[in-house]
Amino acid sequence: MEIVKQYEIRGLEGEVTRLNFAGRLVDYWAPNEAPSHLIVTHDGQNIFDRKTATRGRTWKLAQTADRLSRASGVVPPAIIAVFHSGSKENAWGRAHDLAPQEPFQNGLLVAQEKYRTVRLEDLSSNKYLETIVSTIIPTITKQIGFTPKRQHTALLGSSMGGLATLYGIGRHPEIFGAGLAFSPHWVIGEEPLVDAILGALPKPGDHKIWMSRGTRALDGEYQRSQSYADTRMSELGWQAGRDFLSKVYQGAWHNEPSWRRQAEDALRFWLAR
């Protein structure tokens, strides 16, 4: 692990630090006070830095978390933003990192044409998640001087990262107490993927799950699968409004500004005592 750079962002005290974990870039920010909560995000390029963000637009997640937390009289959460490995040279790197590995490698059919050229043997989300929980989180939390508790640790992502969030809760329920999944990309596997991922979640009671979607562009294609997911969550015993919440945002797009606006509601749900 090596420090790549440190930089400031508008509206936030302190600095964001960029680390390189054997080729995997990770940005993190922590408040000056000792935090009690931790958010780990996928698609870390889009969280803090406009220079790396898609179309130059970030989630402004830290600013939102800082504002909500201070209004409630609590210390804001630390945020770890894990970059995906997609690039011009590695066009399918993001899919390799974030597509739920076991369901597809165990025979679940890829329903979306654009992903049928991805070699299933190259999927690496299990290793990706294991690196997060066994290396990235311990290294950074040691640097900032706190030990996160499961009930105070959330995994967050959008689109394919929304799937990786729910898949990650199922694989590492002892690490993550909450999954905040924006616009989960169910259409890559449709209802069979919903069954596979939600069926692997821990039993309800000790975790929180958030899902949301918009109604425009790609998000408009999620209605059927997300409605099915909502029904399955209820059938699996998750209590709407208590440990599970699914929201539809009319007019919202499949992009960072839309997820930025939804993040405030998701954080309120997670941080509520």
Side-chain angles (χ1 to χ4, degrees):
M1 182 276 296
E2 62 178 348
I3 296 177
V4 176
K5 69 174 185 176
Q6 293 178 306
Y7 60 96
E8 297 180 349
I9 55 177
R10 181 177 299 178
L12 198 66
E13 64 180 19
E15 293 181 320
V16 176
T17 299
R18 179 165 297 165
L19 303 176
N20 187 328
F21 288 86
R24 172 81 62 189
L25 295 180
V26 178
D27 282 357
Y28 78 86
W29 173 84
N32 291 334
E33 309 99 311
S36 60
H37 290 71
L38 173 67
I39 303 172
V40 180
T41 83
H42 306 294
D43 290 321
Q45 290 95 327
N46 297 327
I47 301 303
F48 299 113
D49 190 353
R50 291 181 60 188
K51 295 178 181 178
T52 60
T54 304
R55 292 178 291 277
R57 296 179 292 183
T58 73
W59 282 60
K60 295 187 178 180
L61 185 64
Q63 294 95 319
T64 299
D66 182 78
R67 174 172 50 81
L68 290 178
S69 299
R70 296 194 185 283
S72 301
V74 299
V75 178
I79 299 175
I80 296 174
V82 183
F83 285 40
H84 64 70
S85 56
S87 65
K88 291 181 180 179
E89 298 74 26
N90 184 13
W92 291 114
R94 183 173 183 267
H96 294 161
D97 288 342
L98 302 180
Q101 182 174 340
E102 290 192 4
F104 288 113
Q105 289 185 344
N106 288 337
L108 193 147
L109 297 179
V110 177
Q112 201 171 18
E113 181 67 32
K114 65 174 287 189
Y115 288 106
R116 288 179 182 161
T117 58
V118 176
R119 287 163 30 109
L120 297 182
E121 58 268 33
D122 291 337
L123 297 183
S124 56
S125 57
N126 291 356
K127 180 179 179 181
Y128 164 81
L129 289 165
E130 181 61 33
T131 299
I132 290 174
V133 302
S134 65
T135 302
I136 294 173
I137 292 176
T139 299
I140 293 176
T141 54
K142 183 178 180 180
Q143 285 191 353
I144 61 181
F146 93 108
T147 302
K149 297 179 180 179
R150 182 198 65 196
Q151 64 267 33
H152 292 165
T153 303
L155 189 59
L156 177 153
S158 62
S159 193
M160 195 75 83
L163 297 183
T165 292
L166 299 170
Y167 184 62
I169 299 297
R171 288 193 63 81
H172 298 283
E174 77 288 358
I175 301 295
F176 301 109
L180 310 179
F182 301 78
S183 305
H185 195 65
W186 298 120
V187 292
I188 194 175
E190 298 181 336
E191 282 82 352
L193 182 60
V194 174
D195 288 333
I197 292 183
L198 299 190
L201 290 175
K203 292 182 180 180
D206 293 328
H207 294 75
K208 282 188 170 184
I209 299 294
W210 161 281
M211 298 186 215
S212 62
R213 68 171 181 88
T215 58
R216 304 186 72 174
L218 183 55
D219 269 34
E221 300 177 16
Y222 295 159
Q223 180 178 359
R224 188 186 71 184
S225 295
Q226 187 57 57
S227 295
Y228 180 72
D230 297 344
T231 298
R232 290 294 296 129
M233 288 293 282
S234 177
E235 292 171 349
L236 290 167
W238 294 83
Q239 303 269 331
R242 189 181 74 179
D243 54 12
F244 167 62
L245 196 59
S246 179
K247 294 196 68 173
V248 178
Y249 290 84
Q250 296 295 328
W253 296 78
H254 192 86
N255 58 25
E256 283 69 33
S258 292
W259 297 321
R260 179 196 309 161
R261 290 187 287 272
Q262 296 168 35
E264 181 165 343
D265 290 339
L267 292 177
R268 288 184 188 278
F269 170 69
W270 172 49
L271 293 171
R273 293 181 177 88

